[in-house]
Amino acid sequence: MIPVLDASAGDLGSDVLDAYGTWGFGYLVGHGIPQGLIDEVFAQSRRFHALPLEAKLAIEVDRTHRGYIPLNVST
């Protein structure tokens, strides 16, 4: 079962360590981010990843580790 971390519950320190140390991921709830914003971020992500590779490579990761990383180039 994927751990659920409730940000509204207060200090999550040990819960985060357990979730990410044991499982590698978790669900964060109670964070206060509006659902509309979350939906828009996912929509923009789908839009970006639907672009041709050449367009994504125009913003390939730079020396500050920001940008697009193509598949099968990172270990």
Side-chain angles (χ1 to χ4, degrees):
M1 185 169 161
I2 298 172
V4 177
L5 307 168
D6 187 353
S8 67
D11 183 17
L12 293 177
S14 62
D15 294 335
V16 169
L17 288 174
D18 180 55
Y20 289 89
T22 303
W23 298 92
F25 52 88
Y27 287 118
L28 182 63
V29 299
H31 44 66
I33 300 171
Q35 188 60 49
L37 178 57
I38 294 169
D39 295 342
E40 183 61 24
V41 168
F42 276 99
Q44 292 299 328
S45 176
R46 284 189 297 275
R47 185 175 151 249
F48 173 77
H49 288 286
L51 291 171
L53 180 60
E54 297 77 27
K56 293 182 277 193
L57 289 176
I59 58 166
E60 192 169 10
V61 72
D62 62 17
R63 64 181 182 82
T64 62
H65 303 283
R66 290 194 165 94
Y68 175 72
I69 300 174
L71 290 174
N72 301 319
V73 298
S74 180
T75 57

